[in-house]
Amino acid sequence: QVQLVESGGGLVQAGGSLRLSCAASGLIFSRYAMGWFRQAPGKEREFVAAISWSGGTAYYAESVKGRFTISRDNAKNTVDLQMNNLKPEDTAVYYCAADYFRAPSGVVASYDYWGQGTQITVSS
């Protein structure tokens, strides 16, 4: 059964850094584009970053460009999100997601599998 498990969430001060990791199982990981999304209370889930199956192509939401970096390790079946210069508005539950054979996408509905999320809280 497909499972995506996020880790690395927690509380961090504004300007700080945090690294999230998502471990995948039950799927051929290298055949999936992977994405990170986030959802704050009362808001819709929004795109953060995505990466192609090979790791050769990535793109980011404008709000995180220059601050966040997505990467993947197909040998370990993991996708990471390095978050630098965190801002209070980054506070949300962060989810990783898998999209079969698709190019990097910011569309929530395009993703086939989702993790349960990990909370990131950025204090001012």
Side-chain angles (χ1 to χ4, degrees):
Q1 187 168 340
V2 173
Q3 187 174 11
L4 305 177
V5 181
E6 302 95 338
S7 62
L11 176 66
V12 64
Q13 291 185 332
S17 298
L18 202 61
R19 189 177 184 91
L20 301 181
S21 184
C22 174
S25 61
L27 76 170
I28 302 176
F29 183 72
S30 62
R31 296 182 181 178
Y32 288 79
M34 299 296 297
W36 285 96
F37 294 77
R38 66 189 182 188
Q39 188 168 19
K43 298 182 66 178
E44 295 293 320
R45 190 166 299 185
E46 67 172 341
F47 169 74
V48 176
I51 190 166
S52 65
W53 65 268
S54 66
T57 304
Y59 83 108
Y60 301 88
E62 289 295 327
S63 60
V64 305
K65 281 184 177 178
R67 299 190 298 122
F68 291 10
T69 302
I70 188 171
S71 61
R72 68 188 296 161
D73 187 338
N74 287 349
K76 297 180 179 179
N77 287 7
T78 58
V79 58
D80 290 359
L81 185 69
Q82 178 66 46
M83 303 182 291
N84 297 327
N85 191 25
L86 284 160
K87 303 175 180 179
E89 52 263 43
D90 295 319
T91 295
V93 176
Y94 283 69
Y95 300 88
C96 68
D99 188 0
Y100 186 65
F101 273 144
R102 191 177 293 273
S105 172
V107 180
V108 170
S110 295
Y111 287 79
D112 301 296
Y113 303 106
W114 293 83
Q116 294 186 344
T118 186
Q119 177 72 49
I120 299 297
T121 302
V122 183
S123 61
S124 60

